[in-house]
Amino acid sequence: MNRFRNNMPACGAIFTALLSNLILFSYLCKVIDTYWIFMSKLIETIVNAIEDKKGKDIVSLDLSGFDGAICSRFIVCNADSTTQVCAIAASIEEKVLETLGEKVWRIEGQQNGVWVAMDYVDVVVHIFQTELRSFYKLEELWADAPLVKYEYEE
């Protein structure tokens, strides 16, 4: 009987360690779930903002499965003029801030309006003037990435 009593403190320590790990695992699951919910809302908000300004050929590329990818998602669209490119970028910035309270981390290309890149850390938005998108063929560079096309009525 003493032999079992001597092992009881060890069992208690193991139980405490398992319980701590279970609590940590549960917390991490909630964090990951919250992250994916946020990502879904961010992508939906960006796509809606593009659609509001009549952006064309909207696609999302899932880069999460690629080692060394700079972000989890690319969202790519095009517009017929530099004015429309800049209007789409402004619409995205405004709607994401208004809806989710997130500021764009960095924007490049607003000066010339032929290719604007907007960095939301895990999501990078590329807004091209139509001719430039055809030239760079960004989707072909990431051809192995799962692609989602967004269709909408004009």
Side-chain angles (χ1 to χ4, degrees), residues 33-48 73 75 100 123 150:
D33 192 41
T34 302
Y35 168 79
W36 286 114
I37 290 169
F38 173 78
M39 285 289 287
S40 297
K41 287 181 181 178
L42 177 60
I43 291 166
E44 179 183 343
T45 303
I46 290 169
V47 169
N48 288 339
R73 294 284 178 120
I75 297 177
L100 301 172
V123 176
Y150 297 91

Side-chain angles (χ1 to χ4, degrees), residues 25-39:
F25 179 75
S26 175
Y27 173 74
L28 289 175
C29 287
K30 287 179 186 175
V31 168
I32 290 169
D33 192 41
T34 302
Y35 168 79
W36 286 114
I37 290 169
F38 173 78
M39 285 289 287

Side-chain angles (χ1 to χ4, degrees), residues 93-110:
E93 188 172 11
E94 179 184 320
K95 287 200 189 260
V96 170
L97 184 61
E98 178 183 299
T99 306
L100 301 172
E102 288 292 316
K103 291 183 179 180
V104 63
W105 188 68
R106 187 158 175 92
I107 303 176
E108 290 295 332
Q110 282 184 311

Side-chain angles (χ1 to χ4, degrees), residues 78-150:
N78 58 276
D80 293 328
S81 69
T82 56
T83 304
Q84 188 182 13
V85 168
C86 291
I88 291 169
S91 177
I92 292 169
E93 188 172 11
E94 179 184 320
K95 287 200 189 260
V96 170
L97 184 61
E98 178 183 299
T99 306
L100 301 172
E102 288 292 316
K103 291 183 179 180
V104 63
W105 188 68
R106 187 158 175 92
I107 303 176
E108 290 295 332
Q110 282 184 311
Q111 320 72 272
N112 58 23
V114 292
W115 178 1
V116 174
M118 305 179 74
D119 188 350
Y120 282 96
V121 184
D122 270 349
V123 176
V124 175
V125 184
H126 296 274
I127 311 159
F128 288 98
Q129 198 169 8
T130 304
E131 298 80 30
L132 206 60
R133 183 176 184 178
S134 299
F135 178 78
Y136 281 107
K137 300 177 183 175
L138 193 61
E139 296 94 325
E140 289 182 23
L141 291 174
W142 296 95
D144 293 340
L147 182 133
V148 176
K149 290 184 179 185
Y150 297 91

